[in-house]
Amino acid sequence: MTDQYCVIGNPVAHSKSPQIHAAFAAQTGQQLDYGRRMAPLDGFADVVRDLVAKGYKGANVTVPFKLEAAAIATRLEERALAAGAVNTLSFVDGEIVGDNTDGPGLVADITRNAGVALTGKRILLLGAGGAARGVMLPFLQQGPSAIVVANRTRKTADTLVADFQDQVTQVTAVNFEDIRGSFDIVVNATSASLAQEMPPVPASAFTHDTLALDMMYGDAPTPFMLFAAKQGAATRDGFGMLVEQAAEAFTIWRGVRPDTRELLTSLRT
Ligand code: ATR
């Protein structure tokens, strides 16, 4: 029987994950089916139980179930534990193993696809919700010199920063109006782009050498990307991160790492 996987979300119809995993499977010669499962808002656990009963090998989890996925896992990998959220479930030997590939996907996109090293760099992270939390450990593992976390609600940033104090990297929380100096990398991990808004980051945060990355993606650049580009920064949306987090999940499940380069160009067009 062909191994079965899916992405669980609500909504889920827009998800590009089935296309991405089908392309990885074709490229690596792996036999698998990857579909979509819409879960009712109060029915995530039932869907997971149903998948396990049907012999599925794993699932990706998207909005709004990443926290519930961490709760339902019988075992959590370190990066899922640090993120407090799960986007990749593996059903193995009666266990539900939770992992989080979002942060590693972002790091892979910045370092491999954009060709920007994080070691020794100054990073400004905008937002302190689930998306921001998920990238903290993968960022710290790259040894940046500083991570400044700016959030509208200061208390959330303080809590996040307290959870990720580090020996090598200076990790601090600020209000948007207290952002000082410029940064090598600015990551928008707020959900402001969904409302066509941008967090109030000052122009002085960007230079011509800054990489500005929005975790969101769409047909057009986000307001954050347009603002950063106006200051001379190089910009990137979250599409590369999406493909890389999928590649990381595929590697966990199949033990084979797909090459993301051709997909990154073909899927964009
Ligand atoms: P996600 O899982 O996408 O991170 P979340 O946990 O709800 O979603 O977090 C959303 C983040 O976007 C938060 O940091 C939020 O700021 P608050 O903590 O102050 O709510 C931030 N955010 C959302 N809309 C924003 C806006 N218009 N401007 C600035 N920050 C915004």
Side-chain angles (χ1 to χ4, degrees):
M1 207 179 95
T2 307
D3 289 345
Q4 304 224 73
Y5 301 86
C6 66
V7 53
I8 313 168
N10 184 342
V12 78
H14 64 284
S15 172
K16 286 189 161 54
S17 291
Q19 259 174 290
I20 296 172
H21 282 278
F24 288 162
Q27 185 202 70
T28 56
Q30 294 277 311
Q31 291 288 322
L32 61 90
D33 281 338
Y34 188 111
R36 293 185 178 86
R37 273 294 287 270
M38 166 92 166
L41 290 177
D42 61 354
F44 174 74
D46 287 340
V47 168
V48 172
R49 278 191 284 270
D50 182 55
L51 297 176
V52 172
K54 288 189 168 125
Y56 274 62
K57 300 287 182 199
N60 283 129
V61 180
T62 186
V63 176
F65 299 122
K66 290 185 188 184
L67 297 181
E68 262 188 89
I72 206 174
T74 57
R75 183 153 66 81
L76 287 177
E77 300 293 359
E78 188 198 14
R79 51 202 189 177
L81 205 60
V86 159
N87 80 330
T88 304
L89 293 170
S90 304
F91 309 133
V92 270
D93 303 330
E95 290 239 58
I96 300 175
V97 183
D99 204 340
N100 195 316
T101 66
D102 286 330
L106 178 64
V107 167
D109 187 50
I110 293 173
T111 56
R112 287 209 289 269
N113 302 332
V116 173
L118 292 166
T119 314
K121 299 293 177 62
R122 273 171 57 76
I123 301 175
L124 175 61
L125 183 60
L126 307 172
R133 180 169 285 270
V135 302
M136 285 301 291
L137 181 67
F139 271 174
L140 289 172
Q141 286 170 340
Q142 300 291 311
S145 64
I147 302 179
V148 176
V149 181
N151 197 46
R152 189 172 56 183
T153 311
R154 173 63 190 271
K155 198 163 167 286
T156 323
D158 287 336
T159 309
L160 180 70
V161 160
D163 288 347
F164 289 96
Q165 283 305 308
D166 189 77
Q167 305 272 328
V168 175
T169 308
Q170 190 186 10
V171 185
T172 47
V174 297
N175 299 310
F176 284 114
E177 58 270 28
D178 295 327
I179 296 172
R180 296 281 177 274
S182 63
F183 294 83
D184 301 299
I185 296 134
V186 182
V187 172
N188 184 14
T190 72
S191 47
S193 304
L194 287 175
Q196 287 302 311
E197 292 169 0
M198 66 166 269
V201 54
S204 55
F206 306 91
T207 71
H208 284 77
D209 295 322
T210 302
L211 173 66
L213 191 148
D214 200 319
M215 286 199 194
M216 302 283 162
Y217 68 91
D219 296 334
T222 65
F224 166 79
M225 288 165 67
L226 294 172
F227 181 77
K230 219 166 135 187
Q231 321 311 323
T235 63
R236 245 178 131 70
D237 67 10
F239 188 74
M241 174 184 176
L242 174 80
V243 172
E244 295 299 338
Q245 66 74 29
E248 191 68 34
F250 190 93
T251 308
I252 291 168
W253 290 330
R254 311 303 299 181
V256 188
R257 181 170 292 278
D259 183 347
T260 53
R261 274 170 305 187
E262 59 186 86
L263 196 63
L264 278 167
T265 24
S266 68
L267 263 185
R268 259 227 200 265
T269 47

Short mmCIF file of all heavy atoms in Angstrom, two decimals, residues 12-34:
data_model
loop_
_atom_site.label_atom_id
_atom_site.label_comp_id
_atom_site.label_asym_id
_atom_site.label_seq_id
_atom_site.Cartn_x
_atom_site.Cartn_y
_atom_site.Cartn_z
N VAL A 12 -7.97 24.94 4.56
CA VAL A 12 -6.82 24.18 4.06
C VAL A 12 -6.81 24.09 2.52
O VAL A 12 -5.82 23.66 1.94
CB VAL A 12 -6.80 22.78 4.72
CG1 VAL A 12 -7.81 21.85 4.08
CG2 VAL A 12 -5.41 22.17 4.75
N ALA A 13 -7.89 24.57 1.91
CA ALA A 13 -8.04 24.44 0.45
C ALA A 13 -6.92 25.15 -0.30
O ALA A 13 -6.49 24.71 -1.37
CB ALA A 13 -9.39 24.98 0.01
N HIS A 14 -6.39 26.24 0.28
CA HIS A 14 -5.38 27.05 -0.40
C HIS A 14 -3.97 26.44 -0.27
O HIS A 14 -3.03 26.90 -0.90
CB HIS A 14 -5.34 28.43 0.26
CG HIS A 14 -4.89 28.34 1.68
ND1 HIS A 14 -5.73 27.89 2.68
CD2 HIS A 14 -3.69 28.56 2.27
CE1 HIS A 14 -5.06 27.87 3.82
NE2 HIS A 14 -3.81 28.26 3.60
N SER A 15 -3.82 25.41 0.58
CA SER A 15 -2.48 24.92 0.91
C SER A 15 -1.74 24.39 -0.32
O SER A 15 -2.29 23.63 -1.11
CB SER A 15 -2.56 23.81 1.96
OG SER A 15 -1.28 23.23 2.12
N LYS A 16 -0.49 24.80 -0.44
CA LYS A 16 0.33 24.34 -1.57
C LYS A 16 1.10 23.06 -1.20
O LYS A 16 1.83 22.51 -2.02
CB LYS A 16 1.34 25.42 -1.97
CG LYS A 16 0.72 26.59 -2.72
CD LYS A 16 1.84 27.48 -3.24
CE LYS A 16 1.45 28.42 -4.36
NZ LYS A 16 0.33 29.29 -4.15
N SER A 17 0.95 22.60 0.05
CA SER A 17 1.74 21.45 0.50
C SER A 17 1.55 20.19 -0.37
O SER A 17 2.54 19.51 -0.65
CB SER A 17 1.43 21.14 1.97
OG SER A 17 1.92 22.18 2.78
N PRO A 18 0.30 19.84 -0.79
CA PRO A 18 0.17 18.64 -1.63
C PRO A 18 1.01 18.72 -2.91
O PRO A 18 1.68 17.75 -3.28
CB PRO A 18 -1.33 18.60 -1.94
CG PRO A 18 -1.97 19.27 -0.76
CD PRO A 18 -1.03 20.39 -0.39
N GLN A 19 1.00 19.90 -3.56
CA GLN A 19 1.81 20.09 -4.77
C GLN A 19 3.30 19.93 -4.47
O GLN A 19 4.04 19.31 -5.23
CB GLN A 19 1.64 21.54 -5.23
CG GLN A 19 0.70 21.78 -6.38
CD GLN A 19 0.60 23.29 -6.56
OE1 GLN A 19 0.03 23.99 -5.72
NE2 GLN A 19 1.18 23.79 -7.64
N ILE A 20 3.73 20.54 -3.37
CA ILE A 20 5.15 20.52 -3.03
C ILE A 20 5.61 19.09 -2.74
O ILE A 20 6.63 18.62 -3.26
CB ILE A 20 5.43 21.44 -1.81
CG1 ILE A 20 5.12 22.89 -2.15
CG2 ILE A 20 6.87 21.30 -1.34
CD1 ILE A 20 5.17 23.86 -0.97
N HIS A 21 4.83 18.35 -1.93
CA HIS A 21 5.23 16.99 -1.57
C HIS A 21 5.13 16.03 -2.77
O HIS A 21 5.95 15.11 -2.89
CB HIS A 21 4.43 16.49 -0.37
CG HIS A 21 4.93 17.06 0.93
ND1 HIS A 21 6.01 16.54 1.60
CD2 HIS A 21 4.53 18.15 1.63
CE1 HIS A 21 6.24 17.28 2.68
NE2 HIS A 21 5.36 18.26 2.71
N ALA A 22 4.17 16.28 -3.66
CA ALA A 22 4.08 15.45 -4.88
C ALA A 22 5.34 15.65 -5.73
O ALA A 22 5.90 14.69 -6.28
CB ALA A 22 2.82 15.81 -5.66
N ALA A 23 5.79 16.90 -5.80
CA ALA A 23 7.00 17.19 -6.58
C ALA A 23 8.23 16.54 -5.94
O ALA A 23 9.08 15.96 -6.64
CB ALA A 23 7.19 18.70 -6.71
N PHE A 24 8.33 16.62 -4.61
CA PHE A 24 9.46 15.98 -3.91
C PHE A 24 9.44 14.46 -4.14
O PHE A 24 10.49 13.85 -4.34
CB PHE A 24 9.38 16.24 -2.40
CG PHE A 24 9.70 17.66 -1.98
CD1 PHE A 24 9.30 18.12 -0.72
CD2 PHE A 24 10.38 18.54 -2.81
CE1 PHE A 24 9.60 19.42 -0.33
CE2 PHE A 24 10.67 19.84 -2.42
CZ PHE A 24 10.27 20.28 -1.16
N ALA A 25 8.23 13.87 -4.08
CA ALA A 25 8.10 12.42 -4.24
C ALA A 25 8.55 12.01 -5.64
O ALA A 25 9.30 11.03 -5.82
CB ALA A 25 6.67 11.99 -3.99
N ALA A 26 8.12 12.77 -6.64
CA ALA A 26 8.50 12.47 -8.02
C ALA A 26 10.01 12.59 -8.19
O ALA A 26 10.66 11.73 -8.79
CB ALA A 26 7.78 13.42 -8.98
N GLN A 27 10.57 13.66 -7.62
CA GLN A 27 12.01 13.91 -7.77
C GLN A 27 12.86 12.83 -7.11
O GLN A 27 13.91 12.46 -7.63
CB GLN A 27 12.32 15.28 -7.14
CG GLN A 27 13.74 15.74 -7.32
CD GLN A 27 14.11 16.77 -6.26
OE1 GLN A 27 14.25 16.47 -5.10
NE2 GLN A 27 14.23 18.01 -6.71
N THR A 28 12.41 12.34 -5.96
CA THR A 28 13.23 11.38 -5.20
C THR A 28 12.82 9.93 -5.45
O THR A 28 13.41 9.01 -4.87
CB THR A 28 13.13 11.66 -3.69
OG1 THR A 28 11.75 11.61 -3.30
CG2 THR A 28 13.70 13.01 -3.32
N GLY A 29 11.77 9.73 -6.27
CA GLY A 29 11.33 8.37 -6.58
C GLY A 29 10.65 7.67 -5.40
O GLY A 29 10.64 6.45 -5.31
N GLN A 30 10.09 8.46 -4.48
CA GLN A 30 9.39 7.90 -3.31
C GLN A 30 7.91 7.69 -3.66
O GLN A 30 7.30 8.54 -4.30
CB GLN A 30 9.51 8.87 -2.12
CG GLN A 30 10.92 9.03 -1.60
CD GLN A 30 11.30 7.91 -0.65
OE1 GLN A 30 10.57 7.59 0.27
NE2 GLN A 30 12.44 7.32 -0.90
N GLN A 31 7.37 6.57 -3.18
CA GLN A 31 5.95 6.27 -3.40
C GLN A 31 5.14 6.82 -2.24
O GLN A 31 5.23 6.30 -1.12
CB GLN A 31 5.73 4.75 -3.44
CG GLN A 31 6.31 4.05 -4.65
CD GLN A 31 5.51 4.38 -5.91
OE1 GLN A 31 4.29 4.49 -5.86
NE2 GLN A 31 6.21 4.55 -7.02
N LEU A 32 4.35 7.87 -2.46
CA LEU A 32 3.48 8.36 -1.39
C LEU A 32 2.32 9.18 -1.95
O LEU A 32 2.41 9.72 -3.05
CB LEU A 32 4.28 9.17 -0.36
CG LEU A 32 5.00 10.44 -0.82
CD1 LEU A 32 4.09 11.67 -0.69
CD2 LEU A 32 6.24 10.66 0.02
N ASP A 33 1.24 9.22 -1.16
CA ASP A 33 0.10 10.09 -1.46
C ASP A 33 0.07 11.18 -0.41
O ASP A 33 0.26 10.88 0.77
CB ASP A 33 -1.22 9.31 -1.38
CG ASP A 33 -1.46 8.49 -2.63
OD1 ASP A 33 -0.88 8.83 -3.68
OD2 ASP A 33 -2.22 7.51 -2.53
N TYR A 34 -0.21 12.41 -0.82
CA TYR A 34 -0.28 13.52 0.13
C TYR A 34 -1.52 14.35 -0.20
O TYR A 34 -1.61 14.92 -1.28
CB TYR A 34 0.99 14.36 0.03
CG TYR A 34 1.13 15.43 1.10
CD1 TYR A 34 2.10 15.32 2.10
CD2 TYR A 34 0.28 16.54 1.12
CE1 TYR A 34 2.22 16.29 3.07
CE2 TYR A 34 0.39 17.51 2.10
CZ TYR A 34 1.37 17.38 3.06
OH TYR A 34 1.49 18.35 4.04
#
